[in-house]
Amino acid sequence: IMTEQVKCFYQETQKHQNSVNKRMTNLILRLTERAAKHDNSKFSDVESELFIEYTPKLKKSTYGSEEYNQFLKGLKPALEHHYACNSHHPEHFSNGIKDMSLIDLVEMICDWYAAPERHEDGNIFRSIEINQKRFGYSDELKSILINTIIREFPDKSVENTRR
């Protein structure tokens, strides 16, 4: 026989589960929308010409190197437009990474994880270190980003890029 207290527990727990499910589903939908539109601005006239010129150069450079940073200067007009159109970049916001949402951060870490694949000597963990200095985020956020790479991405290419 089920007491009122037990019934109440089950009803409240199911309501809570449904509420969490609704919110998580909303985030999944937002992420799905973002995934479908990721970096579409690169195909615009404002960005494409410079990205066509600099993508092969960036591929042969080391992320964060002086050469890499020089290429970014050449890309500046395209990057300014790109950052303005894409909130997964800290440069999109006046307060940088502090103004980002979790959705922005998820897209950002997916972007950062894919970016080293475009460099001959790319390494996601080195990129996270470099970007901590570049964007001024905390050791706590750095740990969260590293933990996300290690625990949440099933592809084994991460094994080749461990510190």
Side-chain angles (χ1 to χ4, degrees):
I1 207 164
M2 198 177 290
T3 67
E4 283 303 311
Q5 196 172 359
V6 172
K7 282 182 190 174
C8 178
F9 162 75
Y10 280 105
Q11 287 173 345
E12 289 303 313
T13 300
Q14 286 176 333
K15 276 190 347 192
H16 174 72
Q17 286 178 320
N18 291 338
S19 181
V20 170
N21 181 290
K22 181 175 143 184
R23 285 163 176 78
M24 289 182 74
T25 300
N26 181 57
L27 291 176
I28 290 165
L29 291 172
R30 292 287 301 129
L31 284 169
T32 301
E33 290 170 5
R34 297 280 286 263
K37 296 177 182 176
H38 179 79
D39 279 357
N40 275 351
S41 68
K42 285 186 177 177
F43 298 112
S44 69
D45 291 341
V46 179
E47 296 181 32
S48 63
E49 189 175 312
L50 282 170
F51 276 108
I52 288 166
E53 178 183 349
Y54 280 93
T55 296
K57 296 175 183 178
L58 289 167
K59 183 175 179 68
K60 292 183 177 159
S61 69
T62 297
Y63 181 73
S65 68
E66 187 55 42
E67 178 185 39
Y68 178 88
N69 291 329
Q70 284 302 113
F71 291 147
L72 292 187
K73 289 178 184 173
L75 260 175
K76 189 174 181 182
L79 287 173
E80 286 176 347
H81 183 266
H82 186 72
Y83 297 151
C85 294
N86 294 281
S87 65
H88 66 276
H89 290 284
E91 299 92 338
H92 179 84
F93 299 98
S94 57
N95 293 313
I97 213 161
K98 292 177 185 144
D99 286 345
M100 294 174 83
S101 74
L102 272 177
I103 297 294
D104 295 324
L105 288 172
V106 168
E107 186 176 1
M108 180 191 79
I109 194 60
C110 292
D111 192 32
W112 287 7
Y113 188 34
E117 297 170 350
R118 299 175 92 173
H119 293 269
E120 293 172 359
D121 64 348
N123 180 300
I124 182 57
F125 300 106
R126 190 174 66 230
S127 296
I128 290 170
E129 291 284 341
I130 291 168
N131 288 336
Q132 183 181 29
K133 292 177 186 79
R134 182 177 173 191
F135 299 117
Y137 52 80
S138 68
D139 287 341
E140 186 174 61
L141 180 56
K142 179 174 81 172
S143 292
I144 291 167
L145 297 174
I146 290 169
N147 293 340
T148 301
I149 295 296
I150 292 170
R151 296 203 312 244
E152 306 301 336
F153 289 99
D155 89 25
K156 295 297 178 197
S157 66
V158 73
E159 298 301 324
N160 300 323
T161 59
R162 286 238 165 113
R163 302 180 231 171

